[in-house]
Amino acid sequence: MRHAVSRPRIRALAVGLTLAAATLLPAGSAGATDQYEWAALGDSFTAGVFVGDPQPPLGDPSQDGCARTSASYPSLVAQELAASPPGKSVQMTNVACSSAVIANVAKVKQTPISPVEIPADGWPAVDTQIKRAGLDSETDVVTVAIGGNSIPFGDIFPKCLEQGALDGSCRDYFTNPPAGVESIQQRLTRVRGEYIEMLAAVHKAAPNAKVLAVGYPTIMPTDATDCDRGSLTELGETTHADVDWLREGVLKPLNKTIKQAASFFGDRYVDIASSSEGHDVCQPEGTKWIEGICGDAADYWPTTFPGTDVDCGPIGKHATMIHPNAAGHANTAVEVERAVRIALHHH
């Protein structure tokens, strides 16, 4: 079992401004022959949401509601590649967006939902990630980490909270759902088809790129009794039986689905779950790499979250909504950096 990452990547927590220019260059800057082009696509587990400084900075009119940050794993990897280039410098373009579903990569515009500095009229829709990243024949590497919002976990987990408060079972609910509700198997089958279609579009847009499909970290503990039932800094009222089901019946199969879809194209799957075992949401502070419903976050991140009744203010926490913290992103950065370097070496 690996422990909290303490390598120099943690330096990235204090270097948001330096990296911002490299991360947010317009898509038209891609394609220079004296550098590699890497595009990072994904959802909130890639964007960073509350870890590090917002990119663009708070108050910047170019804020788009996608909640990208300076300590997200693409930012950390970009720093390491800049410090030790793999033959040539690497230009990273990060278009990950919190709440993105698979269709937002190539087919459908997205309306972001960041709770920070929301415009009076709400966040305007942003274009597909393929278009925003400017993928083309000169793109060398694409990392994509997405799928959780297409299951969607944001639909399944609230049902687990609801059923837990009633001593019911979300496992039973989603295994044999009522009419009009997709079963978990139907959801996984649908996600597999959507993921394959998405990867086909990525390969078409960037025909010469190495594509890396990044999995999700370990979120649930191997032993559900590690969870303090009722704790908002963990999984709230979710029963231990449902914690087991979320691990074995939802998250592991989701990673397996992503891996299988990637193998269809010969793309590399980047395993994050193995290296993050033992650092799940139900571990104590300092050990966990996933914050709970409520958790520690930068001061700009709110204590409540729009569209929910979550209020973490009374316990002195922020509405982290089960996302990786700085140590979690640092661990993912280790795995993704290795995969990017290998991809560029064989490019």
Side-chain angles (χ1 to χ4, degrees):
M1 181 177 75
R2 291 171 59 170
H3 298 283
V5 176
S6 60
R7 293 177 57 185
R9 286 176 185 80
I10 304 300
R11 294 174 300 160
L13 293 172
V15 196
L17 291 176
T18 301
L19 188 59
T23 306
L24 301 168
L25 283 174
S29 65
T33 57
D34 62 344
Q35 63 183 11
Y36 289 120
E37 301 292 336
W38 164 32
L41 319 180
D43 57 24
S44 54
F45 275 56
T46 298
V49 293
F50 56 77
V51 177
D53 298 322
Q55 290 186 330
L58 294 175
D60 191 307
S62 64
Q63 275 279 356
D64 58 9
C66 284
R68 290 181 299 277
T69 67
S70 63
S72 64
Y73 74 79
S75 297
L76 303 184
V77 174
Q79 276 205 321
E80 292 299 311
L81 295 174
S84 180
K88 297 190 290 187
S89 64
V90 179
Q91 170 64 49
M92 189 271 286
T93 303
N94 184 1
V95 295
C97 196
S98 177
S99 79
V101 298
I102 294 171
N104 295 141
V105 172
K107 293 178 62 176
V108 181
K109 290 185 177 182
Q110 176 186 355
T111 301
I113 62 168
S114 170
V116 179
E117 295 187 344
I118 304 172
D121 297 329
W123 294 109
V126 296
D127 216 335
T128 63
Q129 294 190 21
I130 279 181
K131 289 184 178 179
R132 298 186 86 197
L135 298 191
D136 59 23
S137 61
E138 296 185 352
T139 304
D140 298 293
V141 178
V142 178
T143 54
V144 57
I146 204 159
N149 294 321
S150 293
I151 282 286
F153 191 70
D155 172 52
I156 293 174
F157 183 67
K159 180 61 68 173
C160 293
L161 290 175
E162 174 190 302
Q163 291 294 312
L166 301 172
D167 286 325
S169 168
C170 64
R171 174 187 55 192
D172 292 346
Y173 181 89
F174 287 110
T175 302
N176 297 292
V181 176
E182 282 185 305
S183 70
I184 184 59
Q185 191 54 54
Q186 289 173 324
R187 291 165 190 248
L188 288 165
T189 299
R190 173 177 52 76
V191 164
R192 181 179 183 274
E194 291 176 355
Y195 208 99
I196 288 172
E197 184 180 8
M198 176 272 293
L199 286 179
V202 169
H203 279 282
K204 182 178 180 180
N208 299 318
K210 297 287 187 180
V211 178
L212 308 174
V214 182
Y216 286 90
T218 295
I219 297 174
M220 306 296 164
T222 301
D223 182 353
T225 62
D226 285 353
C227 296
D228 180 8
R229 190 175 173 198
S231 172
L232 288 175
T233 60
E234 297 178 7
L235 299 169
E237 291 292 337
T238 306
T239 67
H240 289 160
D242 279 342
V243 170
D244 284 334
W245 174 73
L246 288 168
R247 183 187 67 248
E248 298 295 331
V250 180
L251 296 169
K252 283 187 177 180
L254 175 59
N255 275 337
K256 183 178 180 180
T257 297
I258 293 170
K259 184 177 182 179
Q260 289 176 337
S263 69
F264 186 82
F265 296 89
D267 295 334
R268 179 171 180 172
Y269 171 72
V270 184
D271 175 19
I272 307 299
S274 296
S275 60
S276 55
E277 285 186 13
H279 299 279
D280 55 82
V281 67
C282 292
Q283 301 310 308
E285 289 186 24
T287 301
K288 65 166 60 184
W289 291 350
I290 302 287
E291 297 295 321
I293 298 170
C294 301
D296 294 328
D299 289 340
Y300 61 80
W301 198 255
T303 58
T304 60
F305 200 87
T308 75
D309 59 1
V310 170
D311 184 1
C312 304
I315 61 172
K317 299 291 184 179
H318 299 262
T320 45
M321 308 299 285
I322 312 179
H323 279 80
N325 56 27
H329 276 278
N331 177 68
T332 300
V334 172
E335 305 297 340
V336 172
E337 181 190 346
R338 180 185 300 116
V340 168
R341 288 186 183 276
I342 291 172
L344 291 176
H345 177 73
H346 292 291
H347 194 271

